[in-house]
Amino acid sequence: MARSSTNQNVHSADDSSLDAGGARALRRGLQLLDALLDAGPEGLRVVELCRACALERATVHRLLATLQASGYVATAGRFRYVPGPRLGRAAAAPGQPNMAVRLQPVLARVSAAFGDAAFAIVRDGPHSHCIAREVGTHPVQVLVIQVGTRQPLGVGAAGLALLSALPDAQVQQIVAANAPHLAAYGGMTAERLHLLVRATRERGWSVIGNHATRNVLAVGMAVRDARGEPVAAISLASTLARMPRERQQLVARTMREALAPLAV
């Protein structure tokens, strides 16, 4: 009996130690999240997180890997970390629909006006993440992506519109992070992507063809919140033959009108 009692005490001590370790890891993880939330859209580097949370670099890297795998942390460029998509959903005001729900009527209006498929994306670190899609009525639908698709920000029209709406520093970081993967998208290069960003800013909306999908051209526009910050983007995709310059301009005007009354 004495041995049994001793073993029980040992197990209790081990459990207590494990509980303490788990609580410590949780507390440190929450410290990192607090620091990232306070840092704003630019995010923080590992060295800055170490300083802000008084943690060792190895500990910060380990915690970031866990938080990133769970969607609570995302990367911005090669070296910075920002709050992830799960935190964005948690931060939405109670009772408000998420961005996909808010943008679905916009997609429906744009798709109905032209008969082609419309898409909505948000940013996920250096990538775009498709959150909604509306299929049109034209017999030939160009379904370039589906809900859940992720790709380098800028290789599609919606992603290009959102990328172009970001500050220069973030554009540089995102393009640099995606540079090794761009060639797979119709031979895209970092240099060409920077040119497309410049043209999109001058025009006020994006247009891109033959990159994400061959023989396809799409028009995109950024979605901004009440403060003017870019939070999402929409696009309409069709075949090259159905997208002459005049129709591109009409699509952009229709998008702007559909987004105007939307309070995001």
Side-chain angles (χ1 to χ4, degrees), residues 96-97 99 102 223-226 258-264:
Q96 288 189 348
M99 189 62 66
R102 299 181 201 182
V223 179
R224 298 179 183 271
D225 64 15
L259 288 171
L262 184 67
V264 297

Side-chain angles (χ1 to χ4, degrees), residues 121-130 145 149-156 158-159 162:
I121 63 100
V122 293
R123 178 187 169 195
D124 184 0
H127 300 95
S128 65
H129 175 204
C130 181
I145 56 176
T149 297
R150 284 176 169 82
Q151 59 188 16
L153 196 67
V155 299
L162 184 51

Side-chain angles (χ1 to χ4, degrees), residues 12-67:
S12 296
D14 289 345
D15 291 345
S16 177
S17 176
L18 289 172
D19 289 344
R24 183 169 60 252
L26 175 60
R27 185 166 57 251
R28 289 173 170 178
L30 291 173
Q31 279 183 278
L32 291 183
L33 293 180
D34 282 340
L36 290 175
L37 288 169
D38 290 340
E42 293 294 330
L44 293 173
R45 297 163 67 99
V46 169
V47 65
E48 294 168 326
L49 284 166
C50 291
R51 191 180 306 121
C53 301
L55 296 172
E56 297 292 331
R57 181 182 289 267
T59 300
V60 170
H61 275 295
R62 185 170 62 253
L63 291 170
L64 285 173
T66 300
L67 292 168

Side-chain angles (χ1 to χ4, degrees), residues 98-183:
N98 63 28
M99 189 62 66
V101 175
R102 299 181 201 182
L103 290 176
Q104 199 69 54
V106 174
L107 299 185
R109 175 175 171 178
V110 174
S111 179
F114 299 97
D116 295 301
F119 308 84
I121 63 100
V122 293
R123 178 187 169 195
D124 184 0
H127 300 95
S128 65
H129 175 204
C130 181
I131 58 171
R133 184 178 77 176
E134 183 76 18
V135 178
T137 57
H138 188 264
V140 178
Q141 291 293 297
V142 178
L143 304 179
V144 289
I145 56 176
Q146 59 186 351
V147 174
T149 297
R150 284 176 169 82
Q151 59 188 16
L153 196 67
V155 299
L160 177 59
L162 184 51
L163 178 67
S164 302
L166 297 173
D168 287 341
Q170 289 190 44
V171 173
Q172 293 285 348
Q173 292 168 355
I174 290 169
V175 174
N178 288 329
H181 314 291
L182 294 178

